[in-house]
């Protein structure tokens, strides 16, 4: 079982950047595929990016492609989401998640473990 804690959210102006971190404990990241999801008020949770920690294969949603990058630091057991050129529509609660599946699936139902979320607010 893995415990996930996100950090790095905050308030940023449009065009700015933020880096979210997700610290995993209780297990090693290499056993999982890790994902970042977001949920805006009144909307369904959607996948932002995912990475297979062992193979380094990635998935990135079209809405953030070219602006967001997912990466891992295995030594720190941490997954990052580097976000740049932020837009007001990126405003949401961002969640880190882990799945034992070896594929970078964007389906939130396939993820077994979730963090508590971190708020990202982008002002126009």
């Amino acid at each position: 079982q893995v415990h996930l804690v996100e950090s790095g959210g905050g308030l940023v102006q449009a065009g700015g950047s933020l880096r979210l971190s997700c610290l995993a404990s209780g297990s090693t990241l290499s056993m999982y595929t890790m994902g970042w999801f977001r949920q805006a008020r009144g909307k369904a949770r959607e996948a932002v990016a995912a990475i297979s920690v062992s193979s380094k294969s990635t998935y990135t949603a079209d809405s953030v492609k070219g602006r967001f990058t997912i990466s891992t630091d295995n030594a720190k057991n941490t997954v990052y989401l580097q976000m740049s050129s932020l837009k007001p529509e990126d405003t949401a609660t961002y969640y880190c998640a882990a799945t034992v599946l070896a594929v970078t699936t964007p389906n939130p139902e396939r993820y077994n473990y979730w963090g508590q979320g971190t708020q990202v607010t982008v002002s126009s």
Side-chain angles (χ1 to χ4, degrees):
Q1 188 168 352
V2 62
H3 182 60
L4 305 173
V5 178
E6 304 97 333
S7 61
L11 174 63
V12 63
Q13 288 188 331
S17 299
L18 281 175
R19 188 179 76 162
L20 305 183
S21 300
C22 172
L23 175 63
S25 60
S27 188
T28 179
L29 275 186
S30 61
M31 297 176 61
Y32 301 94
T33 291
M34 303 299 297
W36 283 100
F37 293 79
R38 67 185 182 185
Q39 187 166 19
R41 187 172 299 177
K43 295 188 177 181
R45 189 168 297 189
E46 63 174 353
V48 175
I51 185 167
S52 168
V53 180
S54 57
S55 72
K56 300 299 184 184
S57 64
T58 61
Y59 159 86
T60 306
D62 287 342
S63 59
V64 303
K65 199 164 289 185
R67 300 189 298 122
F68 291 11
T69 303
I70 188 170
S71 63
T72 64
D73 184 333
N74 288 9
K76 295 182 178 179
N77 232 31
T78 299
V79 181
Y80 301 101
L81 184 68
Q82 179 66 47
M83 306 185 295
S84 60
S85 301
L86 282 161
K87 304 175 182 180
E89 51 263 44
D90 294 319
T91 295
T93 301
Y94 283 70
Y95 297 90
C96 175
T99 176
V100 297
L101 297 177
V103 292
T104 53
T105 174
N107 185 350
E109 296 182 1
R110 307 305 295 273
Y111 286 77
N112 311 97
Y113 307 101
W114 292 84
Q116 82 288 350
T118 186
Q119 178 66 36
V120 172
T121 303
V122 184
S123 63
S124 57

